[in-house]
Amino acid sequence: MKRILLILAVALASLTTYSQTQVTTYKNAVGYWDNSTQQYDYQDWVYASITFTFYQTYITANDRTHSIYRILERYPDITNETSTITSYKCLDEGNRECTFGIMILKDYPDQANIGVIYSDRMFMYMISVSKSNKQTNIK
């Protein structure tokens, strides 16, 4: 009996270690930081299907540059009356520091945003929480 429990525990640990979560976006935009307005100036939205894959210590995207974000630390979640934000301090494939965040709006639970923030620009991705994405846990 102990042997069966040990095998089951090892199997579950292996499944957890190697499991992954995927979410697919349907449009994205880039915003450049404007020092005079202290806001991002966003370009037009571009419709594109980009899949983000979340592993334990990194996040990948099948975008043009095949982005890879190595997670350094998880920031505390931010919850307010309009949204919940989960974010991570990361290093990208070029070893540049960025913040990777997922924002879920309380008034629009079928949509979520992914933001990748650098010192001078932000990449925004819109996720539609469809049947395929509802089965994943994007936190």
Side-chain angles (χ1 to χ4, degrees), residues 53-130:
T53 304
F54 298 79
Y55 299 94
Q56 276 192 321
T57 59
Y58 61 97
I59 303 161
T60 63
N62 68 343
D63 55 4
R64 267 185 295 155
T65 60
H66 301 286
S67 299
I68 301 171
Y69 306 99
R70 186 166 47 95
I71 299 169
L72 301 177
E73 78 179 271
R74 180 176 174 161
Y75 294 127
D77 287 354
I78 299 170
T79 301
N80 57 39
E81 58 278 350
T82 60
S83 64
T84 299
I85 302 170
T86 301
S87 58
Y88 306 89
K89 177 180 179 181
C90 296
L91 289 177
D92 71 6
E93 68 280 356
N95 214 29
R96 294 172 299 228
E97 189 173 302
C98 61
T99 299
F100 186 100
I102 301 167
M103 180 172 65
I104 299 172
L105 299 172
K106 292 181 180 176
D107 290 342
Y108 301 97
D110 288 346
Q111 289 203 345
N113 301 325
I114 290 178
V116 181
I117 306 166
Y118 293 89
S119 61
D120 61 342
R121 64 189 177 276
M122 174 192 267
F123 297 92
M124 288 290 289
Y125 303 88
M126 296 291 289
I127 303 167
S128 177
V129 184
S130 63

Side-chain angles (χ1 to χ4, degrees), residues 18-57:
Y18 296 106
S19 66
Q20 62 188 13
T21 299
Q22 292 185 329
V23 293
T24 302
T25 66
Y26 67 95
K27 66 180 179 178
N28 60 327
V30 62
Y32 295 94
W33 183 253
D34 184 334
N35 283 323
S36 62
T37 64
Q38 297 292 299
Q39 293 181 340
Y40 290 98
D41 290 331
Y42 288 95
Q43 295 180 343
D44 292 335
W45 288 98
V46 176
Y47 289 89
S49 177
I50 297 173
T51 300
F52 285 87
T53 304
F54 298 79
Y55 299 94
Q56 276 192 321
T57 59

